[in-house]
Amino acid sequence: MVIIDGKLISAQIRSELKIVIGQLCKVTGKTPGLAAILVGENPASKVYVGMKSKACNEIGINSFVEKLDENISENALLNVIKKFNDDVNIHGILVQLPLPKHINQDKILNSISVQKDIDGFHPYNVGNLVIGHDTFFPCTPNGILELLERYNISVSGKHVVVIGRSNIVGKPIANMLLQKNKNANATVTVCHSNSGDISRYTVQADILIAAIGKPEIIKENMIKEGAVVIDVGVNRVDADSEKGYKLVGDVDYKNVLNKVSAITPVPGGVGPMTIAMLLKNTIKAFKLINNID
Ligand code: GUN
């Protein structure tokens, strides 16, 4: 049984990217820049944006964090995005989700320059992903594929069951796995909140990707012997710790361990990969904008 170490792989990727950035800065005389927009006080979002910004600075990407009030108007937020769209020192823009209820998320994501859309959430980039063209691949799905690849776990010809149909994870990973290329070419089933008893599908999975957002709901009896389990869930549950909570995945980790052939832990599995892929996409945007292959 293999525990897939996302923290280790993420660190490896970040040191690879640091070298690439050094070379790019030398060649262009410019430095890649990422703008992260954080609206409101969501505690998890604050932590994520802080980690993203720190990761940028560590490898030589200039990071700008725009912290905005919970009550900011949609128009004012659109203006902030326009400012970054027009700024030659910014190559990647991310708006941390979720946004407050009074803001139309689609309108905001639509306003990000498609060339700077390092989260890959703009409908133009989503469309390119679905038809199998190169694009900015959303960070969490891309991180999952990168982890599988680096652990030599082929998905080609396998039955992958994805649980969750979000625009951030479920839909993009399902579409990426479907593509006819060597790192994909899987048979994909997507389960969601209206699928009824999901164990009917999960027991058939060679690779199970859980992206539901409910603590430890994937139990041992829902998994096929020898399956690969990728746990995308990051759930805060009350705990007797300094912070008053601990993080658990969507999978009942301890009890599935002796049944799986490989599994990602929470924390330290998929999470760190999301950040590594964000950095990779920022470099991709920098190269695109500067016409470098
Ligand atoms: N919220 C949860 N995941 C993500 C992500 O990958 N990007 C952004 N911008 N917001 C998120």
Side-chain angles (χ1 to χ4, degrees):
M1 198 272 301
V2 176
I3 293 175
I4 298 175
D5 191 341
K7 206 168 159 190
L8 177 80
I9 302 291
S10 168
Q12 277 171 4
I13 294 171
R14 283 180 283 134
S15 58
E16 290 163 18
L17 296 178
K18 189 171 184 173
I19 295 166
V20 172
I21 291 172
Q23 291 161 343
L24 286 171
C25 290
K26 223 185 236 170
V27 171
T28 61
K30 297 175 199 167
T31 305
L34 178 142
I37 301 171
L38 173 65
V39 183
E41 303 294 330
N42 181 309
S45 291
K46 280 184 174 173
V47 172
Y48 291 140
V49 169
M51 291 196 306
K52 289 172 181 177
S53 171
K54 181 164 168 267
C56 281
N57 294 328
E58 279 170 2
I59 67 161
I61 295 174
N62 286 331
S63 139
F64 303 84
V65 178
E66 187 91 31
K67 290 183 182 151
L68 301 170
D69 191 87
E70 180 86 28
N71 299 313
I72 189 172
S73 71
E74 198 173 273
N75 265 336
L77 178 54
L78 288 168
N79 281 331
V80 172
I81 293 169
K82 182 170 184 332
K83 176 185 79 177
F84 289 132
N85 281 341
D86 295 342
D87 185 338
V88 294
N89 295 311
I90 296 295
H91 307 88
I93 301 171
L94 78 88
V95 177
Q96 188 65 31
L97 302 178
L99 286 169
K101 293 246 169 352
H102 69 280
I103 292 174
N104 181 332
Q105 182 179 296
D106 287 342
K107 206 165 161 187
I108 298 304
L109 297 179
N110 263 298
S111 76
I112 297 172
S113 159
V114 296
Q115 279 202 313
K116 298 188 179 185
D117 175 34
I118 45 157
D119 264 326
F121 294 161
H122 190 290
Y124 174 89
N125 289 321
V126 176
N128 274 330
L129 182 151
V130 172
I131 59 179
H133 290 178
D134 192 29
T135 183
F136 290 109
F137 295 104
C139 302
T140 301
N142 211 15
I144 294 170
L145 294 191
E146 186 85 35
L147 266 186
L148 292 171
E149 216 174 293
R150 291 197 185 219
Y151 272 84
N152 290 317
I153 299 169
S154 170
V155 302
S156 178
K158 303 271 176 63
H159 182 199
V160 184
V161 176
V162 178
I163 317 172
R165 58 176 156 186
S166 72
N167 291 339
I168 296 180
V169 183
K171 282 181 200 153
I173 189 79
N175 280 285
M176 288 163 80
L177 289 163
L178 263 184
Q179 302 301 327
K180 199 169 181 177
N181 66 49
K182 70 173 174 40
N183 295 324
N185 227 352
T187 302
V188 184
T189 300
V190 183
C191 300
H192 48 76
S193 52
N194 202 34
S195 295
D197 176 10
I198 59 169
S199 66
R200 289 179 292 163
Y201 310 104
T202 58
V203 292
Q204 298 179 45
D206 301 315
I207 300 174
L208 182 67
I209 301 179
I212 313 148
K214 295 217 168 92
E216 299 178 331
I217 69 159
I218 303 298
K219 304 292 183 194
E220 188 211 350
N221 63 354
M222 299 167 75
I223 291 174
K224 183 164 86 173
E225 189 79 42
V228 173
V229 174
I230 305 294
D231 191 349
V232 187
V234 185
N235 308 292
R236 287 185 177 198
V237 296
D238 292 341
D240 214 0
S241 66
E242 202 179 304
K243 290 175 177 163
Y245 68 85
K246 63 172 181 169
L247 297 179
V248 300
D250 291 344
V251 179
D252 184 6
Y253 184 80
K254 277 198 207 95
N255 291 315
V256 307
L257 267 185
N258 37 25
K259 205 166 183 190
V260 301
S261 61
I263 187 165
T264 61
V266 177
V270 174
M273 293 300 292
T274 298
I275 295 186
M277 295 301 104
L278 184 76
L279 304 173
K280 190 174 167 187
N281 277 351
T282 304
I283 296 171
K284 185 172 185 164
F286 180 81
K287 287 163 85 176
L288 250 177
I289 289 169
N290 287 289
N291 287 315
I292 298 167
D293 283 337

